[in-house]
Amino acid sequence: MGKPQSVTSSGSVTVHGAHIDYEAVSGTLIVHKGGWDDSELPDADKDKDKKQPDAAASMYYVAYFKKGVRPENRPITFVYNGGPGSSSVWLHMGAFGPKRVVTADDTHTPAAPYAIVNNNDSLLDVSDLVFIDAPGTGYGRLIGKDKEKAFWGTDPDAGAFTDFIAQFLSRFGRYNSPKYLFGESYGTTRSAIVANKLADDKGIDLNGVILLSQIMNYDNDIDGVAMNPSIDQPYVLALPSYAATAWYHKRLPAEHPDLKAFLKEVEHFALTDYTAALQEGNAISDAQRDATAQKLHDYTGLPVDYIKKADLRINGGEFEKTLQGDKDLDTGRLDSRFSGPTMDKLSQFSYYDPQSSAMSSAYIAAFNDYARNTLHYGNSPAFGDGYQEYKFFSDAIMKWDFSHKQPNTDFPIHGAVNVLPDLASAMKHNPALKVMLNQGYYDLGTPYFEGIYEMKHLPISRDLSNNIQIVQYESGHMVYANEKSLTQLHDNVAKFITQTHGAPASATK
């Protein structure tokens, strides 16, 4: 794995009636641990004495280039999922690649064979695409001394992606192309850091940063909030997503025909009366406690007695377990439109995510078939014995170092990650940088109101905040899992890209 590898193939896709011929390059690039300098390579004699080489990572990618266009006239978008420790297969085969796997909308997709079809919503109509797998996933591998420590952490991971992007731009002659990042979930955390590092460390300005299902301040995480007493904000920010989920499953005590109007009402309550009640802590009056519990029942469908026992504070796992518990069903976390049989009727939390179980097999089968039979990667005799395993996930999250050194600070913070200062710094470095946030109403992993709240609290000026666009969809964490939402996502992102880059500046004499 010490050298970059690549396989080139050709294909075509039809996007909204437009036929696009493209070249596909699938391969790996080599990145090194932070602080590595190619001008200080060890001499041969010293290298022989080393028991292990320094840590390095081969990062797997699949790049699609539209044929017949000039690089400076063609945007390029770097796309990745999150985890941490996830490959990019979900965005690749579910959202923007030229081929897409067909899955059921809100139920378990039947077992193989799966349909792999032309992706009418691929972003190749407006941008070249580079799908990047995180270190230790896909066909990429880690080697060397302390290899996991070198790449499995908030800052080492961002450094690897920054180096990969700079290297890719150089190797493929794309420095003068309009450039975009597209990250999902933890990929949004990564994007904030990478956007700033590209500008600050590499001198590379981006045209846009596109975020899907954002989390940038982990103090807002609804899953871990019970371990952080006195921090009540996650309950406030998750409530609208609870309400949307209860609305979808018809668990509300009253009818609300207009979802968006209903959610506006819930958002207002969350920021006012609910926040005020939580701020009282144990000093809350019986009357205020009763009134708040009743309102939470109205907005979530959960029993009033249960809400009181929870002290008005229901975390993500408890909500997913309880909402449909009377039917012995667990509610999906990443997409709460999904439901599945409960593993343990007496448990406090669900032992699995019905959404992940419903579609993961389809994505895994589709990409293994596509990579080997269409991209011709993973079964080439040129690579070892002709077989390589594609790793969809690593166990990185179990070993992840979440400490992070924010811009203009002297040392890393060992605690909940907060990269809002990084995105703010990137926007200040480049005041023309545009940011787009896309969110699903039915996402309990990164609730949509959390993303809105974070964007409103970026440490930037009012003028710079005008560079931010926020869009919601009637879908979950993987917005593209719903076909109607996928088309809307394509249209919104395509418009964002086309509106945020122009023709090359005229040369001056």
Side-chain angles (χ1 to χ4, degrees):
M1 65 149 274
K3 295 181 179 180
Q5 298 175 334
S6 67
V7 176
T8 301
S9 57
S10 294
S12 63
V13 62
T14 301
V15 180
H16 295 201
H19 179 87
I20 301 162
D21 292 316
Y22 60 81
E23 180 180 78
V25 181
S26 51
T28 58
L29 294 180
I30 310 303
V31 297
H32 299 268
K33 68 177 183 178
W36 182 82
D37 186 346
D38 63 2
S39 68
E40 298 179 1
L41 295 176
D43 62 53
D45 292 334
K46 290 182 179 179
D47 201 37
K48 289 178 183 177
D49 294 334
K50 284 189 174 183
K51 293 181 180 180
Q52 259 191 316
D54 288 338
S58 66
M59 292 178 65
Y60 179 70
Y61 67 90
V62 181
Y64 297 98
F65 304 112
K66 183 180 179 180
K67 293 182 177 180
V69 293
R70 293 175 60 87
E72 64 268 26
N73 296 333
R74 180 70 171 169
I76 188 166
T77 304
F78 296 92
V79 185
Y80 37 82
N81 282 91
S86 174
S87 68
S88 64
V89 66
W90 319 102
L91 284 166
H92 194 164
M93 297 303 294
F96 298 135
K99 301 295 182 184
R100 180 176 66 83
V101 62
V102 178
T103 57
D105 184 37
D106 63 357
T107 59
H108 196 103
T109 300
Y114 303 103
I116 304 173
V117 300
N118 173 85
N119 186 5
N120 189 53
D121 294 302
S122 171
L123 273 180
L124 276 168
D125 58 336
V126 296
S127 176
D128 288 343
L129 303 170
V130 187
F131 294 92
I132 311 172
D133 287 344
T137 70
Y139 290 122
R141 299 294 185 265
L142 305 179
I143 64 166
K145 184 179 180 181
D146 297 327
K147 59 185 179 181
E148 293 172 350
K149 183 179 179 181
F151 296 102
W152 285 357
T154 301
D155 288 347
D157 169 88
F161 271 80
T162 301
D163 290 344
F164 176 97
I165 291 169
Q167 185 181 160
F168 187 96
L169 293 172
S170 180
R171 284 181 177 270
F172 288 91
R174 300 305 296 266
Y175 257 98
N176 205 29
S177 298
K179 294 173 272 300
Y180 296 83
L181 303 181
F182 189 112
E184 177 182 340
S185 193
Y186 182 83
T188 66
T189 311
R190 176 187 296 132
S191 287
I193 307 174
V194 171
N196 187 59
K197 287 179 70 66
L198 284 171
D200 206 16
D201 297 351
K202 303 291 186 180
I204 298 172
D205 278 352
L206 298 168
N207 296 70
V209 176
I210 306 162
L211 308 168
L212 176 62
S213 304
Q214 169 180 312
I215 182 165
M216 292 197 177
N217 180 356
Y218 278 71
D219 272 328
N220 292 326
D221 179 19
I222 190 57
D223 292 318
V225 63
M227 296 182 290
N228 204 6
S230 81
I231 303 299
D232 289 323
Q233 189 165 282
Y235 301 109
V236 172
L237 301 181
L239 181 59
S241 291
Y242 290 172
T245 303
W247 179 90
Y248 185 85
H249 291 289
K250 301 184 179 353
R251 306 295 287 180
L252 297 173
E255 293 288 332
H256 297 275
D258 187 332
L259 173 62
K260 293 181 181 179
F262 172 56
L263 293 180
K264 288 297 180 185
E265 178 183 326
V266 177
E267 291 169 10
H268 178 75
F269 168 76
L271 291 178
T272 54
D273 293 351
Y274 187 37
T275 296
L278 296 180
Q279 291 295 306
E280 290 294 326
N282 293 333
I284 191 172
S285 69
D286 290 342
Q288 187 179 20
R289 184 169 177 264
D290 291 345
T292 305
Q294 181 59 51
K295 205 67 175 176
L296 289 173
H297 166 72
D298 294 343
Y299 288 153
T300 67
L302 299 181
V304 171
D305 287 346
Y306 178 86
I307 293 169
K308 288 183 177 180
K309 286 180 182 178
D311 197 25
L312 310 179
R313 296 163 174 84
I314 296 98
N315 65 35
E318 292 165 343
F319 178 80
E320 293 147 21
K321 180 68 183 178
T322 307
L323 180 67
Q324 302 181 84
D326 59 341
K327 298 180 180 180
D328 292 336
L329 293 175
D330 290 350
T331 302
R333 173 178 175 267
L334 293 181
D335 192 327
S336 60
R337 298 175 303 136
F338 288 76
S339 304
T342 187
M343 295 288 183
D344 183 351
K345 297 178 183 179
L346 298 179
S347 65
Q348 186 177 1
F349 306 99
S350 175
Y351 285 101
Y352 75 113
D353 182 358
Q355 186 262 7
S356 294
S357 296
M359 60 178 58
S360 292
S361 178
Y363 279 79
I364 291 169
F367 189 80
N368 270 290
D369 181 86
Y370 175 69
R372 290 176 167 84
N373 297 323
T374 302
L375 298 176
H376 306 297
Y377 199 101
N379 61 355
S380 171
F383 304 149
D385 66 357
Y387 171 77
Q388 289 178 286
E389 178 188 357
Y390 187 88
K391 297 183 178 182
F392 296 87
F393 288 102
S394 70
D395 61 349
I397 195 168
M398 306 302 295
K399 306 172 183 179
W400 201 259
D401 178 4
F402 279 96
S403 59
H404 171 51
K405 184 178 180 297
Q406 295 177 341
N408 305 313
T409 59
D410 295 327
F411 50 84
I413 296 173
H414 300 276
V417 177
N418 187 340
V419 298
L420 291 173
D422 299 77
L423 182 58
S425 178
M427 297 178 73
K428 292 172 182 176
H429 272 296
N430 175 15
L433 178 65
K434 300 296 191 295
V435 177
M436 181 187 195
L437 171 58
N438 300 276
Q439 308 167 291
Y441 286 127
Y442 305 116
D443 179 3
L444 299 182
T446 57
Y448 80 90
F449 202 45
E450 168 203 310
I452 294 174
Y453 185 90
E454 289 177 351
M455 284 304 190
K456 288 182 176 179
H457 288 79
L458 273 173
I460 57 177
S461 67
R462 281 179 175 267
D463 287 343
L464 276 182
S465 68
N466 292 328
N467 288 2
I468 300 172
Q469 175 186 351
I470 304 177
V471 187
Q472 282 90 38
Y473 305 84
E474 292 189 34
S475 190
H477 192 77
M478 295 164 62
V479 162
Y480 43 89
N482 173 272
E483 286 196 28
K484 180 180 178 181
S485 295
L486 169 59
T487 298
Q488 293 171 343
L489 178 66
H490 165 273
D491 293 348
N492 290 331
V493 173
K495 183 178 180 181
F496 175 83
I497 290 174
T498 56
Q499 290 183 342
T500 51
H501 74 88
S506 300
T508 56
K509 294 182 179 180

